Amino acid sequence: MAKTDGEFYAMRAQQELNMAALATDPSVKKLHLDMAAEYATLRERADGEVQNARIGTSK
């Protein structure tokens, strides 16, 4: 089970990649790859927010 937003988004991105690998229809494959990219972006943003919070509290 994901403990942070970043872990959740990483898990969902991997699930979407797995589904894309199994898809035979090109449009379905593209849909899953697009969703994986969205979750990867959300993960990076969530990780950035955590980093910014740490920097802000370390002063």
Side-chain angles (χ1 to χ4, degrees):
M1 182 167 196
K3 296 178 182 162
T4 65
D5 288 345
E7 290 173 342
F8 171 77
Y9 294 136
M11 177 189 67
R12 289 294 296 130
Q14 186 59 56
Q15 289 173 339
E16 291 294 339
L17 289 173
N18 293 344
M19 288 187 278
L22 296 173
T24 55
D25 183 325
S27 61
V28 172
K29 185 178 288 282
K30 182 184 182 317
L31 174 73
H32 287 297
L33 290 174
D34 289 346
M35 290 301 301
E38 280 292 320
Y39 282 118
T41 300
L42 290 170
R43 178 187 179 198
E44 288 182 12
R45 288 182 184 161
D47 289 347
E49 289 175 7
V50 169
Q51 289 293 343
N52 289 339
R54 288 183 183 150
I55 291 169
T57 58
S58 64
K59 292 181 180 179

